[in-house]
Amino acid sequence: KAGVTQTPRYLIKTRGQQVTLSCSPISGHRSVSWYQQTPGQGLQFLFEYFSETQRNKGNFPGRFSGRQFSNSRSEMNVSTLELGDSALYLCASSPGVRGNEQYFGPGTRLTVT
Amino acid sequence: DAKTTQPPSMDCAEGRAANLPCNHSTISGNEYVYWYRQIHSQGPQYIIHGLKNNETNEMASLIITEDRKSSTLILPHATLRDTAVYYCIVRVLNRDDKIIFGKGTRLHILP
């Protein structure tokens, strides 16, 4: 079975721009979660989608948003980029049933200049 | 905030067992202990989880104390490829998949 894939793997944007990151979960998985990882704050939960509905949300400003499509693929969007948004953005998928372990993708490295 | 405390770093000789401790003194009765690891520049990888009994799989063993206030992840024969940051997490098996990560333990395997 193919793993979680994320595109693009690397991205450079300038302040004020917006960015869209994509995540394709493992086939059959219905839950997709997004995390931000920075050296200072570590791994932080952004949000989770299950069957096209946001099921949980972390403590991030409204500039961070996401969505999930009927095929379970998910996108996250960051608008009005700030330097502090430079991070590794990780996506994880699971079947979405209580207690399943999550499988993480390789991440998208976003650099904001 | 993360409900676990781990040493920031540890060393282990290649071929020896790596024992990574985790303190979770405020764990609730319905919270499980999970372990993930993150090898440099990759996404975290699930290792093992347990509630109160010891667990073993092909990657590692998890030993949870009887009072459930601490646990130890054991990598029986550490190799250089086990060099990674190891995260100990406690979570309720709710319907959602939110994970609160702490700072983890950076494990160095020494040749």
Side-chain angles (χ1 to χ4, degrees):
Chain A
K1 220 181 232 189
V4 178
T5 57
Q6 293 187 243
T7 56
R9 293 292 312 279
Y10 301 91
L11 202 52
I12 300 175
K13 292 284 190 179
T14 57
R15 275 180 299 175
Q17 287 186 314
Q18 74 165 15
V19 66
T20 299
L21 311 181
S22 180
C23 172
S24 292
I26 291 171
S27 177
H29 284 190
R30 297 167 64 191
S31 168
V32 173
S33 300
W34 288 89
Y35 293 81
Q36 181 197 64
Q37 186 171 30
T38 60
Q41 299 298 319
L43 271 160
Q44 292 187 287
F45 173 79
L46 277 158
F47 29 65
E48 182 211 355
Y49 286 87
F50 177 77
S51 293
E52 302 179 65
T53 302
Q54 189 178 83
R55 191 158 72 169
N56 208 334
K57 188 176 188 305
N59 189 25
F60 277 81
R63 300 185 298 107
F64 292 81
S65 63
R67 60 178 176 169
Q68 187 180 34
F69 302 95
S70 59
N71 62 357
S72 294
R73 190 178 69 86
S74 177
E75 290 180 347
M76 67 162 283
N77 183 278
V78 187
S79 62
T80 319
L81 284 165
E82 301 176 358
L83 294 178
D85 297 333
S86 295
L88 180 66
Y89 289 88
L90 292 156
C91 149
S93 82
S94 86
V97 177
R98 180 176 177 271
N100 288 119
E101 59 265 23
Q102 295 179 58
Y103 297 86
F104 283 79
T108 294
R109 172 77 61 185
L110 171 65
T111 301
V112 182
T113 62
Chain B
D1 288 345
K3 295 180 65 174
T4 60
T5 304
Q6 299 177 253
S9 67
M10 290 182 63
D11 292 337
C12 179
E14 189 177 17
R16 305 299 292 265
N19 295 275
L20 291 93
C22 179
N23 182 291
H24 32 79
S25 58
T26 61
I27 193 170
S28 302
N30 61 347
E31 287 182 311
Y32 285 68
V33 180
Y34 273 72
W35 283 83
Y36 282 79
R37 73 179 182 184
Q38 187 174 24
I39 295 170
H40 182 62
S41 298
Q42 297 181 22
Q45 176 190 24
Y46 165 82
I47 301 174
I48 199 167
H49 75 280
L51 181 63
K52 55 183 177 181
N53 298 319
N54 297 339
E55 302 287 344
T56 295
N57 62 20
E58 65 279 3
M59 287 184 68
S61 294
L62 173 60
I63 309 297
I64 302 175
T65 58
E66 193 168 341
D67 63 7
R68 301 210 324 121
K69 293 186 176 184
S70 65
S71 61
T72 301
L73 179 75
I74 302 173
L75 307 178
H77 304 287
T79 71
L80 295 177
R81 287 181 294 181
D82 293 320
T83 294
V85 177
Y86 288 76
Y87 296 98
C88 170
I89 295 145
V90 295
R91 57 184 288 226
V92 177
L93 296 189
N94 283 332
R95 63 189 185 100
D96 64 58
D97 281 345
K98 179 179 178 180
I99 296 177
I100 306 296
F101 285 91
K103 301 218 180 281
T105 295
R106 186 172 296 277
L107 177 65
H108 300 276
I109 305 300
L110 307 175

Short mmCIF file of all heavy atoms in Angstrom, two decimals, chain B residues 42-74:
data_model
loop_
_atom_site.label_atom_id
_atom_site.label_comp_id
_atom_site.label_asym_id
_atom_site.label_seq_id
_atom_site.Cartn_x
_atom_site.Cartn_y
_atom_site.Cartn_z
N GLN B 42 12.13 13.47 8.38
CA GLN B 42 11.01 12.62 7.97
C GLN B 42 9.81 12.88 8.88
O GLN B 42 9.94 13.53 9.93
CB GLN B 42 11.40 11.15 8.05
CG GLN B 42 12.53 10.75 7.12
CD GLN B 42 12.85 9.27 7.23
OE1 GLN B 42 12.01 8.47 7.66
NE2 GLN B 42 14.06 8.90 6.84
N GLY B 43 8.65 12.37 8.49
CA GLY B 43 7.48 12.47 9.36
C GLY B 43 7.58 11.49 10.50
O GLY B 43 8.28 10.47 10.41
N PRO B 44 6.90 11.76 11.62
CA PRO B 44 6.92 10.82 12.74
C PRO B 44 6.39 9.44 12.33
O PRO B 44 5.54 9.32 11.45
CB PRO B 44 5.98 11.49 13.76
CG PRO B 44 6.03 12.95 13.43
CD PRO B 44 6.17 12.99 11.94
N GLN B 45 6.92 8.43 13.01
CA GLN B 45 6.55 7.05 12.73
C GLN B 45 5.99 6.42 13.99
O GLN B 45 6.61 6.49 15.06
CB GLN B 45 7.79 6.28 12.26
CG GLN B 45 7.58 4.80 12.02
CD GLN B 45 8.89 4.06 11.81
OE1 GLN B 45 9.96 4.50 12.24
NE2 GLN B 45 8.83 2.94 11.13
N TYR B 46 4.81 5.81 13.88
CA TYR B 46 4.21 5.13 15.03
C TYR B 46 5.09 3.94 15.43
O TYR B 46 5.60 3.20 14.58
CB TYR B 46 2.81 4.65 14.66
CG TYR B 46 2.24 3.63 15.62
CD1 TYR B 46 1.65 4.01 16.81
CD2 TYR B 46 2.29 2.26 15.31
CE1 TYR B 46 1.11 3.08 17.68
CE2 TYR B 46 1.76 1.32 16.18
CZ TYR B 46 1.17 1.73 17.36
OH TYR B 46 0.67 0.80 18.21
N ILE B 47 5.27 3.75 16.76
CA ILE B 47 6.04 2.59 17.23
C ILE B 47 5.15 1.60 17.94
O ILE B 47 5.06 0.43 17.57
CB ILE B 47 7.17 3.05 18.19
CG1 ILE B 47 8.12 4.02 17.49
CG2 ILE B 47 7.95 1.81 18.68
CD1 ILE B 47 9.16 4.62 18.42
N ILE B 48 4.47 2.05 18.99
CA ILE B 48 3.74 1.13 19.85
C ILE B 48 2.82 1.91 20.76
O ILE B 48 3.02 3.12 20.96
CB ILE B 48 4.73 0.27 20.67
CG1 ILE B 48 4.09 -1.00 21.22
CG2 ILE B 48 5.38 1.11 21.77
CD1 ILE B 48 5.13 -2.00 21.76
N HIS B 49 1.80 1.27 21.31
CA HIS B 49 0.99 1.92 22.33
C HIS B 49 0.44 0.88 23.29
O HIS B 49 0.40 -0.32 22.98
CB HIS B 49 -0.14 2.75 21.72
CG HIS B 49 -1.30 1.96 21.18
ND1 HIS B 49 -1.27 1.35 19.94
CD2 HIS B 49 -2.52 1.70 21.70
CE1 HIS B 49 -2.42 0.76 19.72
NE2 HIS B 49 -3.20 0.94 20.77
N GLY B 50 0.01 1.35 24.48
CA GLY B 50 -0.53 0.45 25.48
C GLY B 50 -1.34 1.19 26.52
O GLY B 50 -1.23 2.41 26.65
N LEU B 51 -2.14 0.45 27.25
CA LEU B 51 -2.97 1.03 28.30
C LEU B 51 -2.37 0.74 29.68
O LEU B 51 -2.06 1.64 30.43
CB LEU B 51 -4.39 0.50 28.22
CG LEU B 51 -5.37 1.05 29.25
CD1 LEU B 51 -5.55 2.56 29.07
CD2 LEU B 51 -6.72 0.34 29.16
N LYS B 52 -2.25 -0.52 30.02
CA LYS B 52 -1.67 -0.85 31.33
C LYS B 52 -0.82 -2.12 31.29
O LYS B 52 0.03 -2.31 32.14
CB LYS B 52 -2.76 -0.99 32.39
CG LYS B 52 -3.86 -1.97 32.05
CD LYS B 52 -4.91 -1.95 33.15
CE LYS B 52 -6.06 -2.88 32.80
NZ LYS B 52 -7.12 -2.87 33.83
N ASN B 53 -1.04 -2.95 30.29
CA ASN B 53 -0.22 -4.15 30.17
C ASN B 53 1.00 -3.85 29.32
O ASN B 53 1.00 -2.96 28.50
CB ASN B 53 -1.02 -5.27 29.53
CG ASN B 53 -2.22 -5.66 30.38
OD1 ASN B 53 -2.11 -5.73 31.60
ND2 ASN B 53 -3.34 -5.90 29.74
N ASN B 54 2.05 -4.63 29.53
CA ASN B 54 3.23 -4.48 28.69
C ASN B 54 2.88 -4.94 27.28
O ASN B 54 2.09 -5.86 27.08
CB ASN B 54 4.38 -5.31 29.26
CG ASN B 54 4.78 -4.81 30.64
OD1 ASN B 54 4.51 -3.68 31.01
ND2 ASN B 54 5.42 -5.68 31.41
N GLU B 55 3.47 -4.28 26.31
CA GLU B 55 3.21 -4.59 24.91
C GLU B 55 4.53 -4.80 24.17
O GLU B 55 5.53 -4.19 24.52
CB GLU B 55 2.43 -3.45 24.24
CG GLU B 55 1.10 -3.10 24.88
CD GLU B 55 0.03 -4.14 24.63
OE1 GLU B 55 0.20 -4.98 23.72
OE2 GLU B 55 -1.00 -4.10 25.34
N THR B 56 4.47 -5.66 23.18
CA THR B 56 5.65 -5.90 22.34
C THR B 56 5.22 -6.05 20.89
O THR B 56 4.18 -6.67 20.61
CB THR B 56 6.39 -7.19 22.79
OG1 THR B 56 6.89 -6.99 24.11
CG2 THR B 56 7.57 -7.49 21.88
N ASN B 57 5.99 -5.46 20.00
CA ASN B 57 5.79 -5.71 18.58
C ASN B 57 7.17 -5.88 17.93
O ASN B 57 8.18 -5.99 18.63
CB ASN B 57 4.95 -4.62 17.92
CG ASN B 57 5.60 -3.25 17.98
OD1 ASN B 57 6.81 -3.12 18.16
ND2 ASN B 57 4.78 -2.22 17.82
N GLU B 58 7.18 -5.88 16.62
CA GLU B 58 8.43 -6.16 15.92
C GLU B 58 9.45 -5.03 16.08
O GLU B 58 10.62 -5.21 15.82
CB GLU B 58 8.16 -6.41 14.43
CG GLU B 58 7.61 -5.22 13.66
CD GLU B 58 6.11 -5.03 13.84
OE1 GLU B 58 5.49 -5.80 14.61
OE2 GLU B 58 5.57 -4.10 13.21
N MET B 59 9.00 -3.87 16.50
CA MET B 59 9.92 -2.74 16.64
C MET B 59 10.45 -2.58 18.05
O MET B 59 11.61 -2.23 18.25
CB MET B 59 9.22 -1.44 16.24
CG MET B 59 8.99 -1.26 14.76
SD MET B 59 8.27 0.35 14.40
CE MET B 59 9.61 1.44 14.80
N ALA B 60 9.57 -2.77 19.04
CA ALA B 60 9.95 -2.39 20.40
C ALA B 60 9.05 -3.06 21.42
O ALA B 60 8.06 -3.71 21.08
CB ALA B 60 9.84 -0.87 20.54
N SER B 61 9.42 -2.86 22.69
CA SER B 61 8.58 -3.27 23.82
C SER B 61 8.24 -2.04 24.63
O SER B 61 9.04 -1.10 24.73
CB SER B 61 9.31 -4.28 24.70
OG SER B 61 9.53 -5.49 24.01
N LEU B 62 7.04 -2.06 25.21
CA LEU B 62 6.58 -0.97 26.06
C LEU B 62 6.28 -1.54 27.43
O LEU B 62 5.45 -2.46 27.55
CB LEU B 62 5.33 -0.31 25.46
CG LEU B 62 4.63 0.75 26.31
CD1 LEU B 62 5.56 1.92 26.61
CD2 LEU B 62 3.37 1.25 25.59
N ILE B 63 6.96 -0.99 28.43
CA ILE B 63 6.75 -1.42 29.80
C ILE B 63 6.09 -0.27 30.55
O ILE B 63 6.65 0.83 30.63
CB ILE B 63 8.08 -1.78 30.50
CG1 ILE B 63 8.90 -2.76 29.65
CG2 ILE B 63 7.82 -2.33 31.90
CD1 ILE B 63 8.22 -4.09 29.44
N ILE B 64 4.91 -0.52 31.08
CA ILE B 64 4.16 0.50 31.83
C ILE B 64 4.13 0.07 33.28
O ILE B 64 3.79 -1.08 33.59
CB ILE B 64 2.73 0.66 31.27
CG1 ILE B 64 2.77 1.01 29.79
CG2 ILE B 64 1.96 1.73 32.06
CD1 ILE B 64 1.40 1.06 29.12
N THR B 65 4.49 0.99 34.18
CA THR B 65 4.49 0.64 35.60
C THR B 65 3.07 0.35 36.08
O THR B 65 2.09 0.80 35.47
CB THR B 65 5.10 1.77 36.45
OG1 THR B 65 4.36 2.98 36.21
CG2 THR B 65 6.56 1.99 36.08
N GLU B 66 2.99 -0.33 37.20
CA GLU B 66 1.68 -0.75 37.69
C GLU B 66 0.79 0.44 38.02
O GLU B 66 -0.43 0.40 37.80
CB GLU B 66 1.86 -1.61 38.95
CG GLU B 66 0.61 -2.35 39.36
CD GLU B 66 0.89 -3.41 40.42
OE1 GLU B 66 2.06 -3.81 40.58
OE2 GLU B 66 -0.07 -3.81 41.08
N ASP B 67 1.38 1.52 38.52
CA ASP B 67 0.58 2.71 38.83
C ASP B 67 0.36 3.59 37.59
O ASP B 67 -0.31 4.62 37.67
CB ASP B 67 1.21 3.54 39.95
CG ASP B 67 2.59 4.10 39.57
OD1 ASP B 67 3.00 3.96 38.40
OD2 ASP B 67 3.26 4.65 40.45
N ARG B 68 0.93 3.18 36.46
CA ARG B 68 0.79 3.85 35.16
C ARG B 68 1.35 5.26 35.14
O ARG B 68 1.10 6.01 34.20
CB ARG B 68 -0.68 3.89 34.72
CG ARG B 68 -1.31 2.53 34.60
CD ARG B 68 -2.41 2.38 33.57
NE ARG B 68 -3.26 3.55 33.44
CZ ARG B 68 -3.43 4.21 32.30
NH1 ARG B 68 -2.81 3.84 31.20
NH2 ARG B 68 -4.22 5.26 32.26
N LYS B 69 2.16 5.61 36.11
CA LYS B 69 2.70 6.96 36.13
C LYS B 69 3.98 7.11 35.31
O LYS B 69 4.49 8.22 35.13
CB LYS B 69 2.94 7.41 37.57
CG LYS B 69 1.65 7.56 38.36
CD LYS B 69 1.88 8.13 39.74
CE LYS B 69 0.55 8.35 40.44
NZ LYS B 69 0.70 9.00 41.75
N SER B 70 4.51 6.03 34.84
CA SER B 70 5.69 6.11 33.98
C SER B 70 5.74 4.89 33.08
O SER B 70 5.05 3.88 33.32
CB SER B 70 6.97 6.23 34.79
OG SER B 70 7.19 5.06 35.54
N SER B 71 6.56 5.00 32.05
CA SER B 71 6.72 3.88 31.12
C SER B 71 8.12 3.91 30.53
O SER B 71 8.83 4.93 30.63
CB SER B 71 5.66 3.91 30.01
OG SER B 71 5.77 5.10 29.25
N THR B 72 8.51 2.81 29.93
CA THR B 72 9.81 2.71 29.27
C THR B 72 9.63 2.06 27.92
O THR B 72 8.99 1.00 27.81
CB THR B 72 10.80 1.87 30.10
OG1 THR B 72 10.96 2.48 31.38
CG2 THR B 72 12.16 1.79 29.41
N LEU B 73 10.18 2.68 26.91
CA LEU B 73 10.23 2.09 25.58
C LEU B 73 11.57 1.39 25.44
O LEU B 73 12.61 1.99 25.72
CB LEU B 73 10.08 3.16 24.50
CG LEU B 73 10.16 2.65 23.06
CD1 LEU B 73 8.86 1.93 22.70
CD2 LEU B 73 10.44 3.79 22.09
N ILE B 74 11.54 0.15 25.02
CA ILE B 74 12.78 -0.61 24.88
C ILE B 74 12.98 -1.00 23.43
O ILE B 74 12.13 -1.66 22.82
CB ILE B 74 12.75 -1.88 25.76
CG1 ILE B 74 12.55 -1.51 27.23
CG2 ILE B 74 14.05 -2.68 25.57
CD1 ILE B 74 12.34 -2.70 28.13
#
